[in-house]
């Protein structure tokens, strides 16, 4: 992604002015409720992207194949009529892939209501079907419930969508590889925006190597609602490049048309700035006055809700040490005052992130990948009347380091309770061979619940892993309430 700034060329200004004069802007946001807008959205579903007719003059090769604008939907339930749609383009990188952590961060603390009012679209901008299928399999494995519900979608373009990139002119002193990279990126963003456009009220552009601040969805919806009747082209929830930019979906066809008109000429963040220039800047006024007018159309929210974490760009060989200084980090763990206990684990901790520190509320516990039979055990110094428990795995930066297929088990101090349970106890409880009773398990990285009074008091609580994992595990919250 390019993060440079550039003066607006005369050629771009003239063409852009003519374009904007010919475009009708939809302003129904000022007069309609969210419910009315969502109902309208539900009637817009189409399997063909809604490009303007003049698009074929920008991309003439599209007319050669009738399915060149047909998205290949690999995962999705056709969800429409929500408030937010998040667009994440991803490509095959030579080095690290950040996609799973990015999606995990976006999902980390979403409530069921948040999830029901959102769609996250992963656009795999590749014609390599093996890679596309690998992305699908990875997301299905790591986020099965969110795929099943329709919250997560995976799409790819038609193999006929991209033009011949070998004939591009070199501009701004860029190498041919960089020109191709930024040109393809313009097309990728355009495709994704138009696919997402009929699904929601607001579209948010993200990248595949970011982390989200907890509570970001509520913050964005609240801020967008507060300025809904104002004049703005986009809202900024990050100061970096094209990350965290929110648009009204009714504006996307116009914006995409502009991008496509100049897709071979400049990076996408420059083009977005040019739209602002054309809409509000007077050539006879100063640069300062122009900047002030543009700022009114790109209202900024602080603190930033997204942080860029990727080191290796999707452009081979490019290193990006980009950080948003306005991004306030959320605590990596939540401390609790737990009963006095000795803690033990078969897991191998990473550096100084020990289980003892996590239990005492001093740090999070972080360990290498667990295997079948690994455990965490909490032995109380004296039997405790435990009422509730909570174990939260992962945090906002290591959102994928969660416990899967892991049970919560308790050991009653009165051994006869376990013996009687094994013979006549309720069917929902299972007795282990060593007297522990299975009372719960991790779901989406969290294990929580109340403990039946029949088990009181408890001598110990433990977590037991029942399958090998490719991921590390992290406990960011341990709460034992008595």
């Amino acid at each position: 992604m390019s993060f440079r700034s550039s003066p607006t060329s005369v050629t771009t200004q003239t063409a852009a002015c003519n374009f904007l004069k010919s475009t009708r802007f939809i302003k129904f946001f000022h007069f309609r409720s969210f419910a009315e807008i969502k109902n309208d959205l539900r009637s817009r579903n189409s399997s063909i992207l809604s490009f303007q007719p003049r698009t074929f003059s920008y991309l003439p090769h599209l007319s050669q194949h009738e399915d060149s604008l047909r998205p290949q939907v690999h995962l999705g339930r056709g969800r429409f009529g929500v408030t937010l749609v998040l667009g994440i383009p991803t490509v095959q990188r030579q080095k690290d892939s950040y996609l799973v952590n990015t999606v995990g961060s976006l999902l980390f603390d979403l409530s069921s209501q948040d999830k029901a009012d959102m769609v996250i679209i992963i656009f795999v901008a590749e014609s390599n079907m093996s890679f596309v299928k690998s992305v699908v399999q990875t997301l299905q494995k790591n986020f099965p419930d969110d795929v099943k519900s329709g919250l997560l979608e995976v799409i790819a373009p038609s193999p006929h969508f991209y033009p011949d990139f070998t004939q591009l002119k070199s501009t701004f002193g860029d190498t041919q590889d960089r020109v191709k990279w930024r040109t393809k990126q313009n097309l990728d963003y355009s495709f994704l925006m138009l696919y997402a456009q009929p699904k929601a009220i607001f579209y948010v552009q993200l990248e595949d190597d970011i982390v989200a601040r907890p509570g970001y969805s509520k913050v964005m919806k609240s801020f967008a609602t507060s300025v809904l009747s104002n004049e703005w082209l986009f809202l900024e929830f990050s100061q970096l490049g094209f990350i965290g930019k929110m648009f009204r979906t009714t504006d996307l066809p116009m914006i995409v048309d502009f991008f496509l008109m100049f897709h071979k000429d400049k990076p996408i963040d420059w083009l977005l700035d040019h739209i602002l220039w054309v809409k509000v800047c007077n050539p006879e006024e100063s640069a300062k006055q122009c900047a002030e007018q543009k700022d009114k159309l790109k209202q900024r929210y602080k603190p930033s809700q997204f942080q860029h974490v990727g080191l290796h760009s999707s452009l081979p060989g490019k290193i990006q040490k980009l950080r948003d200084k306005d991004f306030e980090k959320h605590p990596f763990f939540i401390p609790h005052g737990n009963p006095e206990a000795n803690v033990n684990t078969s897991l191998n901790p990473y550096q100084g992130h020990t289980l003892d520190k996590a239990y005492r509320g001093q740090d999070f516990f972080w360990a290498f990948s667990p295997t079948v039979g690994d455990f965490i055990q909490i032995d109380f110094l004296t039997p405790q009347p435990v009422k509730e428990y909570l174990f939260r795995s992962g945090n906002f930066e290591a959102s994928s380091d969660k416990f899967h297929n892991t049970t919560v088990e308790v050991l009653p101090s009165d051994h006869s309770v376990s013996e009687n349970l094994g013979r006549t106890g309720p069917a929902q409880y299972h007795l282990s061979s060593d007297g522990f009773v299975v009372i719960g398990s991790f779901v989406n990285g969290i294990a929580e619940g109340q403990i039946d009074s029949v088990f009181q008091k408890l001598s110990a609580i433990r977590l037991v892993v029942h399958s090998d994992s490719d991921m590390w595990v992290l406990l960011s919250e341990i709460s034992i309430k008595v």
Side-chain angles (χ1 to χ4, degrees):
M1 184 100 189
S2 173
F3 298 93
R4 300 173 293 185
S5 58
S6 164
T8 307
S9 69
V10 174
T11 302
T12 301
Q13 291 176 24
T14 303
C17 283
N18 292 334
F19 164 74
L20 290 177
K21 287 178 182 178
S22 68
T23 305
R24 295 184 62 190
F25 296 96
I26 301 172
K27 297 299 183 183
F28 68 94
F29 278 89
H30 301 258
F31 313 111
R32 308 178 72 191
S33 69
F34 272 18
E36 290 173 320
I37 296 170
K38 288 181 179 179
N39 287 334
D40 180 72
L41 291 169
R42 293 189 179 100
S43 67
R44 296 194 211 168
N45 187 9
S46 173
S47 61
I48 301 293
L49 299 193
S50 56
F51 281 100
Q52 302 282 0
R54 58 179 169 269
T55 297
F56 293 98
S57 65
Y58 313 143
L59 301 170
H61 72 283
L62 294 177
S63 61
Q64 299 175 14
H65 300 277
E66 63 179 4
D67 64 342
S68 58
L69 298 182
R70 190 181 299 277
Q72 298 186 29
V73 180
H74 295 272
L75 287 179
R77 299 286 182 178
R79 183 180 289 191
F80 286 81
V82 297
T83 299
L84 292 180
V85 55
L86 311 183
I88 305 174
T90 190
V91 296
Q92 189 169 9
R93 297 173 181 264
Q94 289 184 344
K95 294 185 179 290
D96 303 325
S97 173
Y98 308 94
L99 182 61
V100 170
N101 280 337
T102 293
V103 175
S105 176
L106 292 170
L107 298 174
F108 179 64
D109 73 332
L110 292 181
S111 67
S112 57
Q113 292 80 8
D114 293 332
K115 289 185 174 184
D117 197 28
M118 179 188 298
V119 183
I120 300 174
I121 303 172
I122 312 299
F123 174 60
V124 187
E126 297 282 359
S127 55
N128 181 346
M129 288 307 300
S130 295
F131 176 69
V132 175
K133 290 178 180 179
S134 72
V135 172
V136 170
Q137 291 169 356
T138 297
L139 293 174
Q140 286 177 319
K141 177 182 178 181
N142 286 278
F143 312 105
D145 294 337
D146 300 302
V147 169
K148 184 178 180 180
S149 71
L151 172 59
L152 285 182
E153 294 191 15
V154 178
I155 66 169
S158 161
H160 307 298
F161 175 67
Y162 296 112
D164 181 1
F165 291 114
T166 62
Q167 304 301 317
L168 297 172
K169 293 181 181 179
S170 179
T171 56
F172 307 110
D174 285 341
T175 64
Q176 198 66 25
D177 284 343
R178 187 182 182 92
V179 172
K180 174 184 175 181
W181 172 73
R182 74 179 197 222
T183 299
K184 179 179 178 295
Q185 189 176 69
N186 289 341
L187 297 177
D188 292 341
Y189 278 59
S190 298
F191 191 103
L192 177 53
M193 285 179 167
L194 286 185
Y195 175 80
Q197 189 262 335
K199 289 179 172 289
I201 299 174
F202 302 110
Y203 174 82
V204 182
Q205 185 66 61
L206 298 174
E207 294 188 3
D208 65 353
D209 53 357
I210 57 99
V211 294
R213 194 170 185 266
Y216 74 93
S217 66
K218 291 183 174 66
V219 166
M220 290 196 298
K221 286 193 284 189
S222 176
F223 185 62
T225 302
S226 70
V227 298
L228 192 61
S229 61
N230 298 352
E231 290 291 330
W232 50 268
L233 184 67
F234 61 90
L235 306 179
E236 294 188 288
F237 294 94
S238 171
Q239 66 175 343
L240 297 178
F242 221 63
I243 297 172
K245 304 300 183 281
M246 175 188 281
F247 305 87
R248 293 181 175 100
T249 54
T250 49
D251 286 333
L252 290 181
M254 176 274 294
I255 293 169
V256 169
D257 214 11
F258 190 94
F259 290 161
L260 293 177
M261 185 185 300
F262 303 106
H263 72 279
K264 295 184 289 185
D265 300 313
K266 293 186 176 182
I268 198 163
D269 47 336
W270 289 12
L271 295 179
L272 185 61
D273 184 73
H274 290 337
I275 298 178
L276 299 177
W277 192 98
V278 171
K279 285 179 67 67
V280 297
C281 290
N282 185 338
E284 297 178 357
E285 294 179 342
S286 67
K288 180 180 179 181
Q289 290 173 308
C290 177
E292 290 173 350
Q293 293 299 316
K294 288 194 298 184
D295 285 342
K296 295 178 181 179
L297 292 187
K298 55 173 184 177
Q299 297 185 36
R300 176 80 190 285
Y301 181 88
K302 293 183 180 181
S304 296
Q305 299 298 298
F306 305 99
Q307 176 66 287
H308 182 264
V309 296
L311 179 62
H312 299 283
S313 167
S314 57
L315 175 63
K318 181 184 178 186
I319 302 296
Q320 295 188 127
K321 297 182 180 181
L322 301 169
R323 293 295 183 271
D324 191 329
K325 295 180 181 179
D326 290 330
F327 181 80
E328 294 181 356
K329 284 191 173 182
H330 191 74
F332 289 110
F333 64 97
I334 299 175
H336 292 278
N338 293 312
E340 289 293 318
N342 292 321
V343 295
N344 185 33
T345 181
S346 61
L347 293 164
N348 185 16
Y350 176 66
Q351 294 185 352
H353 301 290
T354 64
L355 178 61
D356 184 68
K357 289 181 180 179
Y359 186 76
R360 300 182 190 286
Q362 301 169 353
D363 194 4
F364 56 90
F365 172 59
W366 206 5
F368 294 96
S369 303
T371 56
V372 175
D374 276 329
F375 67 89
I376 288 174
Q377 185 159 325
I378 301 168
D379 293 300
F380 301 116
L381 298 187
T382 58
Q384 296 292 319
V386 180
K387 298 176 181 178
E388 299 177 9
Y389 66 90
L390 168 64
F391 297 94
R392 185 186 303 275
S393 59
N395 62 24
F396 83 102
E397 282 203 354
S399 55
S400 298
D401 293 354
K402 296 180 179 181
F403 279 97
H404 302 280
N405 197 16
T406 300
T407 54
V408 180
E409 306 179 1
V410 298
L411 180 64
S413 59
D414 183 350
H415 298 301
S416 64
V417 172
S418 297
E419 294 173 359
N420 293 334
L421 183 68
R423 294 193 297 269
T424 61
Q428 71 265 31
Y429 298 123
H430 304 282
L431 185 65
S432 69
S433 59
D434 55 355
F436 277 80
V437 181
V438 179
I439 63 169
S441 61
F442 278 80
V443 178
N444 294 327
I446 299 174
E448 61 182 334
Q450 297 180 339
I451 298 181
D452 197 317
S453 59
V454 70
F455 300 125
Q456 306 300 344
K457 297 179 179 180
L458 300 182
S459 294
I461 296 179
R462 74 180 178 189
L463 310 179
V464 180
V465 178
H466 297 280
S467 60
D468 296 348
S469 174
D470 297 329
M471 307 299 295
W472 290 14
V473 287
L474 184 153
L475 276 179
S476 56
E477 188 173 4
I478 302 175
S479 175
I480 308 297
K481 291 185 178 182
V482 297

